[in-house]
Amino acid sequence: MEVLTPQMMAKCDRETIDSGYPEILLMEAAAYGVARIAVEILKKEFEFKAKAELKLTFLVGKGNNGGDGLAAARILKNWGYQPEIIFSTEAEKLKGVNSKNYELASLNQVKYYHFSDLKEAQFLSKIENSDLIIDALLGTGIKGELRGNIKNIINLINQKRQSKPLTLAVDIPSGVIGENGRIAGEALNADYTVTMAAYKRGLLLYPGRDYCGQIKVVSIGIQPETIEKNSDSLKAFKQQEAVRLKPDRINNGHKGSFGKVAVLAGSRGMTGAPLLSTKAALRSGSGLVYLLTAEEIEAQTSVQLEEVVGIPLVSKKGMVSANSFPQILQFSKKVDLLAAGPGLGRSSEISDLMEKILKELELPLILDADAINAIKNLELLKKYKGELILTPHPGEMSALTGISIEEINNNRIEVARDFAEEHGVNLILKGAATITAAPDGRAYINTSGCNGMATAGSGDVLTGIVSALKAQKMSCFEAAALAVYLHGRAGEIAAAKTSNYALIASDIIDNLPQVWQSLE
Ligand SMILES: NC(=O)C1=CN([C@@H]2O[C@H](COP(=O)(O)OP(=O)(O)OC[C@H]3O[C@@H](n4cnc5c(N)ncnc54)[C@H](OP(=O)(O)O)[C@@H]3O)[C@@H](O)[C@H]2O)[C@@H](O)CC1
Ligand SMILES: Nc1ncnc2c1ncn2[C@@H]1O[C@H](COP(=O)(O)OP(=O)(O)O)[C@@H](O)[C@H]1O
Ligand SMILES: [K+]
């Protein structure tokens, strides 16, 4: 499913209208979507209340977002509910389709008030007595910090956060900036967001994502081709993509057919990281997993995971030595890919080794953690003879690019895409709202995951999953995006059992089986 900027969405609206589709019909479809989902919520949450007893309060602004709200209020009135409207502006000043929708709502005797005519206590009592608030104050047309009555309305409601009724946002919670998910001073916290035609970036990027609750995308009559044409190949990765992309498993396959993964990882004191990566690879369908590690720790790691084949490498002071390169080169001919980094440690030896690997190997490489930290010359990425997947967290990305962590997090999509395109790699920029970017400009924003995953070793698990998927013959970009999604789902399932507080990285691996079952 495409993820658009407000400008792209406006172009889709405009082209659809210019092709002869009346604007008021687009708005009617949007309003119908909102009304339909409002009813679903009301039926679920207030099973035993009659329609006429339910209090629905629409907060309506003067732009087209308000127009969607006005039309939805009228539709719900037609369906037997008793909605009330609170206008942030004088209703008589509405223009175009919004003015028409005001006339139609009036004709259907939808009750309305002007915010300016209500005393603060009256307004708050209306809010507190509502069963459902529908937020149609501001949509993608927001400019600058919140101002005027809209600001006052949102401030008043947010002060009463504890007693705030269920809230459904129309298109995007008012105050969230559609372009980038930043907050225009304040924003309304929604439990549900009904968004039109496609995701808007601000719904999936933080902090905006925290304000959206459950997001439902409704079709409003814009052709999929129009959306695709006006999008920039940024998509949301969801369960349906996971089901579609999961690698095939042939019935007459043997362990070699499901991918041979070599993991170059671990050092003295860092034996957990290679175990997490290799175990995650085994739990993600890989037929054979080898652990190439410092000879001093190989015996120790081998006893901990029976299914992994240990390959001891020449080492120095507990870390893999650059002199192990001939062993790695030789071994690389036996496997489908090499994943390097987890727990390797930092030293000039590791940097020299990574340089040799990038100069001389040819098989697909997955670089994480210390393998990323070891890259001193970015030119080697572009010159690498095989395919590359890099999985940096924002700290590693900052070390690679010199861009501050704050700037990376404020521009996750652009930073990930620019790096992938410039250096010809597939990139997973980790962290909340993980971005996966391909060298040709395609990108995914991940929709799974939870804050419990911010725990040591969780990145090592991801490396194992990506490796297994790539070894099962997926393209690098799709293997990376699917791995991020599965990792996030396993994290969510783990957190549901253990809580975000108690979650540890191995819980993510333990819940991979349930995630795989959900794809069948
Ligand atoms: N086009 C279509 O056919 C369709 C559009 N659709 C819907 O339209 C929405 C976009 O509508 P939009 O472009 O009219 O903008 P919208 O979000 O209502 O806000 C603009 C108003 O807000 C005001 N305002 C701005 N910033 C402000 C601030 N910081 N603080 C306070 N006020 C501020 C601004 O005021 P002004 O600057 O004029 O004083 C202006 O009046 C979109 O999200 C979707 O719901 C769907 O129905 C599908 C069909
Ligand atoms: N708040 C969060 N929401 C979703 N996923 C998260 C969050 N915090 C971290 N993660 C995920 O957890 C993993 C952490 O990886 P990383 O920082 O490399 O940890 P480590 O180096 O300890 O293994 C990444 O996949 C990241 O996207
Ligand atoms: K809104």
Side-chain angles (χ1 to χ4, degrees):
M1 164 83 62
E2 270 79 5
V3 183
L4 305 182
T5 63
Q7 289 77 2
M8 292 171 195
M9 191 64 241
K11 267 190 97 183
C12 294
D13 289 343
R14 182 50 40 214
E15 282 181 18
T16 306
I17 293 164
D18 289 348
S19 74
Y21 200 94
E23 186 175 2
I24 198 148
L25 282 192
L26 273 187
M27 193 170 270
E28 192 70 9
Y32 178 81
V34 170
R36 185 172 53 78
I37 286 166
V39 169
E40 272 175 26
I41 298 167
L42 293 168
K43 283 193 173 154
K44 187 173 113 209
E45 300 283 341
F46 305 101
E47 213 180 324
F48 301 109
K49 256 190 175 177
K51 281 182 190 175
E53 277 174 45
L54 285 164
K55 278 211 64 165
L56 314 187
T57 303
F58 281 75
L59 303 171
V60 168
K62 70 175 171 181
N64 288 342
N65 193 252
D68 291 349
L70 274 170
R74 183 225 323 135
I75 293 170
L76 283 161
K77 178 87 200 270
N78 285 346
W79 291 350
Y81 294 87
Q82 298 300 325
E84 281 189 2
I85 292 169
I86 300 178
F87 282 109
S88 67
T89 185
E90 287 166 58
E92 296 70 16
K93 289 193 179 156
L94 296 173
K95 297 193 191 96
V97 279
N98 303 327
S99 156
K100 188 72 198 166
N101 268 317
Y102 166 61
E103 275 173 37
L104 293 171
S106 305
L107 212 65
N108 276 20
Q109 293 164 349
V110 179
K111 225 173 179 179
Y112 68 89
Y113 304 87
H114 290 150
F115 174 71
S116 313
D117 297 339
L118 295 172
K119 296 201 171 68
E120 195 176 301
Q122 274 179 307
F123 171 75
L124 285 175
S125 129
K126 284 194 174 297
I127 294 297
E128 282 163 15
N129 291 321
S130 300
D131 294 305
L132 182 67
I133 294 177
I134 290 113
D135 159 25
L137 287 168
L138 265 175
T140 50
I142 188 170
K143 299 229 159 41
E145 294 273 296
L146 287 188
R147 52 189 147 77
N149 281 347
I150 293 187
K151 179 176 178 178
N152 297 336
I153 290 173
I154 293 179
N155 273 333
L156 278 174
I157 297 178
N158 281 351
Q159 279 164 24
K160 296 276 166 189
R161 236 180 265 275
Q162 307 304 338
S163 50
K164 187 174 75 61
L166 271 183
T167 301
L168 182 162
V170 175
D171 207 24
I172 186 164
S174 299
V176 174
I177 301 169
E179 176 81 24
N180 50 34
R182 280 176 226 158
I183 305 302
E186 284 266 8
L188 261 192
N189 236 305
D191 301 286
Y192 298 88
T193 297
V194 176
T195 201
M196 312 314 162
Y199 285 103
K200 317 298 162 344
R201 285 183 177 200
L203 304 178
L204 299 180
L205 293 169
Y206 288 93
R209 185 153 156 180
D210 276 336
Y211 288 76
C212 296
Q214 261 189 56
I215 304 170
K216 315 247 181 189
V217 183
V218 293
S219 162
I220 61 169
I222 297 175
Q223 295 299 319
E225 301 80 58
T226 309
I227 296 174
E228 209 180 315
K229 179 170 97 139
N230 288 302
S231 81
D232 64 351
S233 306
L234 175 68
K235 294 188 175 169
F237 201 106
K238 301 184 65 192
Q239 181 79 6
Q240 70 193 63
E241 280 74 23
V243 171
R244 181 168 60 81
L245 292 176
K246 73 170 190 299
D248 288 334
R249 287 189 77 84
I250 45 168
N251 285 332
N252 59 349
H254 55 90
K255 58 182 183 278
S257 4
F258 299 121
K260 293 184 214 143
V261 168
V263 177
L264 171 61
S267 57
R268 193 194 299 144
M270 298 283 272
T271 51
L275 293 173
L276 289 167
S277 295
T278 49
K279 192 166 180 193
L282 284 165
R283 284 275 187 227
S284 302
S286 202
L288 267 168
V289 180
Y290 299 93
L291 174 58
L292 283 59
T293 193
E295 57 196 357
E296 288 163 59
I297 65 162
E298 191 273 322
Q300 191 186 338
T301 50
S302 286
V303 289
Q304 291 192 57
L305 204 57
E306 295 93 343
E307 297 88 343
V308 171
V309 183
I311 309 290
L313 297 180
V314 180
S315 64
K316 200 166 165 185
K317 294 185 189 158
M319 275 188 254
V320 173
S321 142
N323 292 335
S324 68
F325 179 70
Q327 285 175 281
I328 295 172
L329 177 64
Q330 194 57 30
F331 200 78
S332 73
K333 295 177 180 139
K334 283 179 57 173
V335 290
D336 294 306
L337 62 84
L338 178 73
L344 266 185
R346 294 194 196 192
S347 72
S348 57
E349 292 270 331
I350 299 287
S351 291
D352 292 347
L353 178 62
M354 282 316 301
E355 188 173 327
K356 286 185 184 162
I357 285 177
L358 282 168
K359 279 184 175 158
E360 295 187 40
L361 295 193
E362 292 184 0
L363 80 176
L365 270 188
I366 294 162
L367 304 183
D368 181 30
D370 291 328
I372 296 178
N373 292 324
I375 300 171
K376 299 290 171 243
N377 176 6
L378 289 180
E379 286 299 304
L380 292 180
L381 296 177
K382 191 143 207 176
K383 289 188 187 147
Y384 183 63
K385 293 191 217 65
E387 296 175 299
L388 273 172
I389 303 176
L390 268 66
T391 69
H393 59 52
E396 288 153 356
M397 193 67 189
S398 175
L400 266 186
T401 58
I403 305 171
S404 73
I405 294 178
E406 193 188 358
E407 208 182 324
I408 290 171
N409 279 328
N410 282 337
N411 302 287
R412 296 180 70 77
I413 300 167
E414 285 71 25
V415 169
R417 269 190 162 155
D418 290 351
F419 191 92
E421 287 190 50
E422 189 180 339
H423 300 284
V425 300
N426 296 276
L427 187 98
I428 296 175
L429 177 55
K430 292 189 290 197
T434 291
I435 307 295
T436 305
D440 63 5
R442 284 173 300 158
Y444 276 114
I445 305 189
N446 188 42
T447 61
S448 65
C450 56
N451 63 41
M453 299 173 73
T455 180
S458 135
D460 308 327
V461 174
L462 178 65
T463 300
I465 306 174
V466 185
S467 307
L469 297 182
K470 175 61 196 154
Q472 284 167 88
K473 306 195 173 49
M474 290 185 73
S475 76
C476 284
F477 174 60
E478 288 176 343
L482 176 59
V484 170
Y485 177 80
L486 302 180
H487 181 242
R489 278 298 296 141
E492 286 169 4
I493 296 169
K497 295 175 186 167
T498 65
S499 85
N500 276 310
Y501 296 94
L503 194 150
I504 57 173
S506 50
D507 297 334
I508 303 176
I509 302 176
D510 292 345
N511 286 286
L512 278 170
Q514 201 170 322
V515 178
W516 282 109
Q517 281 167 343
S518 78
L519 303 185
E520 277 165 7

